[in-house]
């Protein structure tokens, strides 16, 4: 190939001479044709000129020379065309080298992009697994806090009951005092009514005894003998109206006592119900209620976090699918471009060897 290139280079130096030789051959052909025409014109009047002079350009000589010139010209024409092709080929080599370098640079960038994409694809399952684990933990934690609203509601009711206990205790003490007072009042009214009845009966017996007659039957027992007639009690006599008034006062006092006792029972029942319903001290219940409300807030935060994690999972899975599709496309593009670069490099090496 180097010898061929050297021959082509030497031939390139004689292209101008070849061009001149071709022009001379054309001029010679024209001269031979002109001479032949002149001889043909003289032959009728100058027969002696019909034969070519010795050493002159006779037709055989002319044809032989013309043939040799044609052959040399054709060979030179082929050399010139081949040299021109090689010159054009050598002139295109820098541009082709630059193009091949650009293609290799693009191929390198595609390989880098494919490697980076592969790294993201490899890392994606771990990232997705981490998101799923975080979502699972958040779901488990929120599930453990699912009863927080009901607990908070129950604790709020219990705390409300506990906060009524001091007032209910005061109310019970007041009702017990009222009951004791009503009891004393009822006892006093009962004693007064009983004393009035006894006084009224004593006065009535003395009046009847005063009206007894010897031998006459007793209006109370019917006996004819009256061994111990009643005597009037000391003090002022009591009227039946006063007895009735004291009886009415006793009845009102008894009714008031019954009402006071019922109020005391109701107060005791309300206090016991509040204590049983509260099931704890107010301060303790308030702390537990605050803790339950904090759990409700935490459950709300977890709900937002779970929604965010689920959105990230959707995006991560979609991105992974898209990256896998892009990796497939890049692999195909790299394979195609790699083959093209290899072919272009082989052709360039061959053409450089030719030049």
């Amino acid at each position: 190939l180097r010898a061929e290139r050297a021959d082509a280079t030497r031939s390139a130096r004689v292209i101008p001479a070849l061009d001149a030789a071709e022009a001379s051959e054309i001029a010679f052909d024209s001269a031979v044709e002109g001479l032949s025409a002149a001889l043909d014109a003289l032959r009728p009047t100058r027969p002696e000129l019909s034969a070519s002079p010795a050493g002159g350009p006779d037709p055989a000589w002319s044809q032989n020379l013309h043939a040799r010139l044609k052959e040399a010209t054709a060979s030179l024409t082929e050399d010139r065309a081949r040299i021109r092709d090689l010159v054009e080929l050598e002139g295109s080599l820098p541009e082709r080298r630059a193009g091949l370098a650009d293609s290799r640079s693009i191929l390198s960038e595609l390989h880098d992009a494919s490697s980076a994409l592969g790294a993201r694809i490899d890392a994606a399952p771990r990232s997705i697994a981490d998101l799923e684990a975080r979502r699972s933990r958040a779901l488990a934690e929120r599930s453990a806090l699912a009863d927080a609203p009901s607990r908070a509601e129950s604790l709020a009711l219990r705390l409300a009951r506990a906060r009524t206990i001091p007032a209910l205790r005061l109310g019970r003490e007041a009702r017990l005092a009222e009951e004791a007072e009503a009891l004393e009042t009822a006892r006093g009214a009962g004693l007064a009514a009983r004393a009035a009845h006894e006084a009224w009966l004593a006065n009535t017996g003395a009046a009847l005894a005063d009206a007894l007659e010897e031998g006459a039957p007793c209006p109370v027992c019917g006996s004819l003998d009256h061994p111990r007639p009643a005597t009037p009690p000391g003090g002022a006599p009591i009227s039946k109206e006063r007895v009735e008034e004291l009886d009415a006062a006793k009845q009102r006092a008894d009714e008031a006592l019954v009402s006071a006792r019922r109020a005391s029972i109701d107060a005791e029942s309300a206090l016991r119900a509040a204590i049983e319903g509260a099931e704890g001290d107010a301060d303790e219940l308030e702390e537990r209620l605050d803790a339950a409300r904090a759990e409700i807030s935490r459950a709300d935060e977890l709900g937002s976090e779970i929604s965010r994690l689920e959105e990230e999972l959707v995006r991560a899975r979609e991105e992974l699918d898209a990256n896998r599709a892009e990796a497939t496309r890049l692999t195909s593009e790299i394979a195609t471009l790699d083959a093209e670069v290899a072919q272009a490099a082989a052709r360039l090496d061959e053409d450089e060897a030719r030049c």
Side-chain angles (χ1 to χ4, degrees):
L1 292 176
R2 291 178 179 176
E4 182 181 357
R5 181 178 180 183
D7 292 342
T9 302
R10 287 193 298 271
S11 298
R13 297 193 186 104
V14 300
I15 288 177
L18 293 174
D19 290 340
E22 184 178 6
S24 297
E25 190 268 338
I26 293 171
F28 178 78
D29 287 346
S30 178
V32 170
E33 290 177 357
L35 181 59
S36 297
L39 290 173
D40 290 340
L42 290 173
R43 280 191 186 100
T45 58
R46 301 285 301 271
E48 68 279 7
L49 296 178
S50 61
S52 297
D58 59 0
W61 178 85
S62 297
Q63 290 175 359
N64 182 40
L65 179 60
H66 181 71
R68 289 199 304 271
L69 288 174
K70 283 287 186 181
E71 183 179 350
T73 300
S75 176
L76 289 174
T77 300
E78 291 176 1
D79 289 342
R80 183 171 55 206
R82 183 168 57 83
I83 291 169
R84 284 174 178 169
D85 290 341
L86 289 174
V87 170
E88 291 178 0
L89 181 62
E90 188 172 13
S92 68
L93 291 180
E95 182 178 356
R96 289 171 63 188
R97 290 190 193 100
L100 183 60
D102 290 342
S103 296
R104 284 172 172 162
S105 176
I106 294 172
L107 186 60
S108 176
E109 292 175 359
L110 289 176
H111 277 293
D112 291 342
S114 179
S115 298
L117 190 60
R120 290 199 298 272
I121 291 173
D122 292 340
R126 292 191 296 272
S127 176
I128 290 173
D130 178 66
L131 289 172
E132 289 176 341
R134 289 165 59 190
R135 183 187 62 175
S136 296
R137 289 194 296 270
L139 286 170
E141 185 178 355
R142 188 179 67 173
S143 177
L145 301 175
D147 65 336
S150 61
R151 282 191 291 110
E153 183 179 358
S154 175
L155 287 167
L157 292 174
R158 290 168 60 188
L159 179 60
R161 293 190 184 105
R163 285 173 174 168
T164 65
I165 289 175
L168 289 173
R169 283 200 175 104
L170 292 176
R172 182 191 62 176
E173 297 302 324
R175 301 296 83 75
L176 289 174
E178 292 172 357
E179 180 185 359
E181 182 180 356
L183 179 59
E184 290 299 321
T185 301
R187 284 174 179 172
L191 291 173
R194 187 179 300 111
H197 275 277
E198 290 175 353
W200 183 79
L201 288 174
N203 287 336
T204 302
L208 290 173
D210 188 58
L212 286 175
E213 295 180 0
E214 194 67 31
C218 176
V220 176
C221 64
S223 176
L224 296 177
D225 297 326
H226 312 293
R228 290 188 300 275
T231 58
I238 188 169
S239 65
K240 187 177 182 180
E241 288 78 7
R242 178 59 181 164
V243 172
E244 291 176 351
E245 288 178 1
L246 291 173
D247 283 341
K250 176 182 179 300
Q251 183 177 359
R252 288 194 299 274
D254 289 342
E255 291 174 352
L257 177 59
V258 171
S259 178
R261 283 177 175 168
R262 184 180 297 112
S264 294
I265 293 171
D266 290 344
E268 182 67 26
S269 298
L271 177 60
R272 186 174 295 109
I275 293 173
E276 292 175 355
E279 298 180 2
D281 179 73
D283 292 338
E284 176 194 356
L285 290 171
E286 188 169 6
E287 290 179 1
R288 293 173 61 185
L289 178 58
D290 290 341
R293 286 172 175 166
E295 290 179 359
I296 292 173
S297 298
R298 175 57 180 163
D300 293 339
E301 293 174 0
L302 288 169
S304 300
E305 183 178 355
I306 289 167
S307 298
R308 180 181 59 80
L309 289 172
E310 288 176 346
E311 291 175 358
E312 289 185 15
L313 274 171
V314 170
R315 287 195 297 270
R317 291 187 179 114
E318 290 177 349
E319 182 178 356
L320 177 58
D321 292 340
N323 286 341
R324 283 172 173 165
E326 178 64 11
T328 301
R329 189 193 68 78
L330 275 177
T331 300
S332 175
E333 184 177 354
I334 287 171
T336 301
L337 184 57
D338 199 13
E340 292 176 355
V341 167
Q343 293 174 1
R347 287 195 300 268
L348 181 61
D349 290 341
E350 292 176 0
D351 290 342
E352 285 178 338
R354 289 177 60 194
C355 295

